[in-house]
Amino acid sequence: MTIMVTGGAGFIGSNFIFYDLKKHAGDRVVCVDKLTYAGNVSTLKSVKDKPNFRFVREDICNREAIYAIFEEEKPDVVINFAAESHVDRSIENPDIFLKTNIMGTVTLMDACLKYGIKRFHQVSTDEVYGDLPLDKPEMFFTESTPLQTSSPYSSSKASADLFALAYYRTYGLPVSISRCSNNYGPYHFPEKLIPLTIVNALADKPLPVYGKGENVRDWLYVEDHCKAIDLIVRKGKAGEVYNVGGHNEMRNIDIVRLICKELGKPESLIRYVTDRKGHDLRYAIDPTKIHNELGWLPETKFADGIKKTVSWYLENRDWWETIVSGEYRKYYEKMYGKRQ
Ligand code: NAD
Ligand code: DAU
């Protein structure tokens, strides 16, 4: 099977490529990535010389170039990880989120219609459901929870989901969608809470916590997300949405404290800073459907996953030091410089 993985030089896409090439040695994987600030070709160094792997630097919005790749590779399956993925950046500059997350997805689906495909899988997010109250722990997002987005990022992802479902109904394109909760693990870009906290703590820098740190996220180890996508693509039904999450809700402040403990750093590094605009309070996924229909269950417990993740950042300093010493410095100054 030839699988086109878009956004494969980013966090989850790269982890998916490693997972797929290990699990399905007969697959050919074609990674299409624009290499934005979030994409890093060095992430793919362990697979780049495999005969059944190809990397193409391209923008999913470039219709002509995308059609040419389809013409040449004739993929059986396309898994779309490519996106602008950071909520804070979407608040600063929504425009690129509309382009990549909506127009890019539609361009890929047009190519799928033109060249034929067994499955187009859209990697979506639990953020399309908006948020849940902090004081109602019995509430969860199910696949039928209405879409009610808060940020430009989540609005762009929800739009892409609606286009994907429209392409299924209107044109019969075999589409599936996964909506996963927050991932963590190796190769996570250091602008996101967990890697940012690890990287700052290692340098004894302040650890910024938005608002009171009481917002809740539902954390899943990245490999468990990859397993879910692999199952959906091979055994899930077209036209369906699958929620993915491991019932692992934690407050942000507890995550930051845990990382301090793992690294032996003092909690005095923690700084409560200005809250994110429109900050979603709580995410919590009900994964009953994917469990009942496809037998998926998360395998990595948070206590083990966070230890593995911290160790990975300790052992792979080159990877993130290169990132945080470049353009990222300007981003950090812009986002956190005036945030008191
Ligand atoms: P990421 O920001 O780490 O990686 C995104 C990748 O997409 C990068 O390699 C980037 O270069 C590439 N890209 C961006 N614009 C592109 C374009 N126009 N053309 C081609 N490539 C482009 O993101 P991630 O955290 O790995 O997220 C991957 C997908 O999973 C996204 O669609 C995101 O919405 C979704 N998701 C993420 C999480 C999470 O916790 N990180 C959870 C649920 C869903
Ligand atoms: O839920 C899935 C989503 O998870 C994905 O769709 C997004 O692509 C991904 O980025 C992630 O979004 P979040 O906004 O939840 O992740 P982030 O790591 O940016 O923030 C996690 C929480 O931590 C959130 O409540 C904001 C808070 N935070 C974040 C940063 C970067 C802080 O308190 N301080 C920070 O410096």
Side-chain angles (χ1 to χ4, degrees):
M1 185 151 95
T2 297
I3 306 189
M4 180 187 284
V5 174
T6 66
F11 166 44
I12 309 175
S14 60
N15 277 283
F16 181 83
I17 291 172
F18 305 145
Y19 179 79
D20 187 90
L21 288 174
K22 205 164 150 196
K23 176 126 195 251
H24 308 288
D27 278 358
R28 172 169 172 75
V29 172
V30 179
C31 170
V32 177
D33 197 297
K34 182 182 174 184
L35 296 183
T36 66
Y37 78 91
N40 196 335
V41 83
S42 79
T43 299
L44 296 169
K45 66 175 186 291
S46 65
V47 295
K48 79 174 181 12
D49 294 326
K50 283 185 181 283
N52 55 342
F53 175 78
R54 178 182 174 198
F55 177 80
V56 185
R57 183 174 191 176
E58 196 46 78
D59 185 338
I60 58 165
C61 301
N62 183 343
R63 186 171 291 269
E64 209 179 310
I66 292 296
Y67 283 12
I69 303 169
F70 269 73
E71 180 93 49
E72 196 184 339
E73 291 289 350
K74 310 234 165 4
D76 301 291
V77 168
V78 173
I79 307 180
N80 183 27
F81 293 90
E84 288 293 331
S85 69
H86 193 33
V87 173
D88 291 330
R89 287 184 193 253
S90 83
I91 295 167
E92 292 296 305
N93 177 21
D95 191 57
I96 185 69
F97 286 73
L98 272 71
K99 286 194 185 107
T100 289
N101 298 2
I102 307 174
M103 292 305 297
T105 303
V106 168
T107 305
L108 288 171
M109 291 194 296
D110 284 342
C112 291
L113 280 178
K114 185 170 159 73
Y115 293 96
I117 198 90
K118 290 195 184 110
R119 178 63 60 86
F120 174 81
H121 184 76
Q122 175 65 3
V123 182
S124 186
T125 167
D126 59 357
E127 297 201 15
V128 299
Y129 299 121
D131 62 355
L132 296 165
L134 290 176
D135 60 354
K136 293 214 165 52
E138 71 285 3
M139 285 180 77
F140 295 94
F141 297 136
T142 71
E143 288 79 359
S144 52
T145 300
L147 304 190
Q148 196 169 21
T149 55
S150 313
S151 71
Y153 162 70
S154 54
S155 302
S156 68
K157 293 295 289 185
S159 299
D161 284 14
L162 293 175
F163 271 100
L165 293 172
Y167 270 54
Y168 171 72
R169 179 160 170 164
T170 306
Y171 307 117
L173 187 71
V175 160
S176 49
I177 297 175
S178 50
R179 294 183 180 145
C180 190
S181 60
N182 286 61
N183 286 213
Y184 69 100
Y187 300 106
H188 203 179
F189 195 83
E191 67 191 346
K192 308 283 171 61
L193 179 70
I194 289 183
L196 184 145
T197 303
I198 297 172
V199 163
N200 279 17
L202 284 172
D204 296 309
K205 283 193 182 152
L207 309 176
V209 171
Y210 298 167
K212 294 184 185 156
E214 286 170 354
N215 303 60
V216 169
R217 296 293 181 265
D218 184 358
W219 294 95
L220 183 72
Y221 193 64
V222 61
E223 198 178 41
D224 281 322
H225 185 190
C226 297
K227 282 181 193 162
I229 293 170
D230 181 53
L231 267 177
I232 296 167
V233 164
R234 285 163 206 267
K235 298 196 177 132
K237 285 195 220 120
E240 293 290 320
V241 174
Y242 295 88
N243 279 358
V244 184
H247 283 302
N248 182 53
E249 291 176 54
M250 291 184 72
R251 297 188 313 165
N252 294 337
I253 185 64
D254 296 328
I255 295 272
V256 175
R257 285 189 181 132
L258 182 64
I259 293 171
C260 288
K261 198 167 157 215
E262 285 293 330
L263 289 172
K265 298 289 180 180
E267 288 186 12
S268 56
L269 288 174
I270 295 173
R271 299 280 186 284
Y272 292 94
V273 300
T274 314
D275 209 349
R276 174 183 279 174
K277 288 178 189 151
H279 198 174
D280 280 336
L281 293 173
R282 170 177 168 248
Y283 302 149
I285 280 280
D286 175 354
T288 307
K289 177 174 171 178
I290 189 167
H291 175 60
N292 287 348
E293 292 187 15
L294 305 178
W296 178 86
L297 273 178
E299 285 170 29
T300 301
K301 291 197 180 73
F302 189 77
D304 300 330
I306 197 72
K307 276 191 202 307
K308 276 205 265 185
T309 304
V310 167
S311 303
W312 188 88
Y313 280 84
L314 285 169
E315 287 156 17
N316 291 274
R317 278 177 174 270
D318 282 1
W319 183 85
W320 57 264
E321 278 176 352
T322 311
I323 294 170
V324 299
S325 62
E327 276 295 302
Y328 179 84
R329 288 219 306 248
K330 283 191 208 145
Y331 163 82
Y332 197 87
E333 182 50 34
K334 184 174 169 213
M335 301 303 259
Y336 295 93
K338 285 185 245 126
R339 208 166 196 155
Q340 295 300 326

